């Protein structure tokens, strides 16, 4: 069945460091891919998404490219801030891009130190 | 816009009792609501999908008689954990989607359930 695998955390970085959180997936068909972020004490928020191969999603300085050949959707940011500290979830939709069920990775905790 | 609330945020109940968790879409009509369960340091596991006015569709392995889901209106879904046991202790998260959100899921803040 469909699944998502994320790198284990926590990831601890200094402010202004480069961030990569790896995400790979297994899916039949052509899923849409998402990154969600969960700040402490809050619900999940959609960070970015990509609906087809080679699409690049971007938001708030974060970006991820849908790589079908490597079945990956790695999250990157060039310069992290303390305010980026949160848990990041990679997910795929195995139905239509918006109404289908979401399958989540296990989440990666990012800690950014000043 | 697209705010989803959950109530309560935390609840402690005794074994054998039932507890109800509410999920509300505050500023849009949610034709579909999803209920997830999250174990510590683990992923969100989809429990069920509910469409307004219809019976919920449960994922494999989720007991529908234990986790009762009602989606009686376009802004409210409830999850009732019946005859709770300590192993039901978990973090329960709902999400909601509808035409106003272009069917993107918006998530509630979650409810921490502890069964003693």
């Amino acid at each position: 069945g469909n699944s998502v695998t994320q790198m284990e955390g926590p990831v601890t970085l200094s402010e202004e460091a480069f961030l990569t959180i790896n995400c790979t997936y297994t899916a039949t068909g052509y899923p849409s891919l998402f990154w969600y972020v969960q700040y402490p004490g809050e619900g999940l928020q959609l960070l970015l998404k990509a609906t087809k191969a080679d699409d690049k999603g971007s938001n708030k300085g974060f970006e991820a490219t849908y790589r079908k050949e490597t079945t990956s959707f790695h999250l990157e940011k060039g310069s992290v801030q303390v305010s980026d500290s949160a848990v990041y979830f990679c997910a795929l939709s195995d139905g239509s891009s918006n109404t289908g069920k979401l399958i989540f990775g296990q989440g990666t905790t990012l800690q950014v130190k000043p | 816009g697209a705010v989803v609330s959950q109530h309560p945020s935390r609840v402690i109940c005794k074994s054998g009792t039932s507890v109800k968790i509410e999920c509300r879409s505050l500023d849009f009509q949610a034709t579909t609501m999803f209920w997830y369960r999250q174990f510590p340091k683990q992923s969100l596991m989809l429990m069920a999908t509910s469409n307004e006015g219809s019976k919920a569709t449960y994922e494999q392995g989720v007991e529908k008689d234990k986790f009762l889901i009602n989606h009686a209106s376009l802004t409210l879904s409830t999850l009732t954990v019946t005859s709770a046991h300590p192993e039901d202790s978990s973090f329960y998260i709902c999400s909601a989607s509808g035409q106003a959100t272009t069917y993107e899921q918006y998530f509630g803040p979650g409810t921490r359930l502890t069964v003693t």
Side-chain angles (χ1 to χ4, degrees), chain B residues 32-47:
Chain B
T32 306
M33 287 187 169
F34 303 81
W35 285 95
Y36 297 84
R37 184 172 177 176
Q38 185 179 26
F39 294 97
K41 298 185 179 181
Q42 292 190 30
S43 179
L44 280 75
M45 180 192 77
L46 180 65
M47 299 174 66

Side-chain angles (χ1 to χ4, degrees), chain A residues 5-83:
Chain A
T5 302
Q6 288 179 237
M7 62 187 289
E8 285 197 27
V11 174
T12 303
L13 296 173
S14 298
E15 211 166 18
E16 299 184 2
F18 184 86
L19 168 71
T20 299
I21 300 179
N22 290 339
C23 171
T24 56
Y25 68 91
T26 302
T28 54
Y30 302 94
S32 292
L33 301 174
F34 307 82
W35 275 101
Y36 284 85
V37 58
Q38 186 176 30
Y39 297 104
E42 299 183 18
L44 274 73
Q45 301 173 28
L46 178 64
L47 181 60
L48 53 85
K49 66 180 180 183
T51 58
K52 61 182 189 298
D54 299 326
D55 267 3
K56 178 186 283 188
S58 61
N59 185 27
K60 299 181 181 180
F62 291 90
E63 59 182 34
T65 301
Y66 189 144
R67 301 282 189 201
K68 193 170 185 297
E69 63 276 13
T70 54
T71 61
S72 65
F73 193 55
H74 304 322
L75 182 68
E76 296 181 336
K77 186 174 185 182
S79 176
V80 295
Q81 305 300 313
V82 172
S83 57

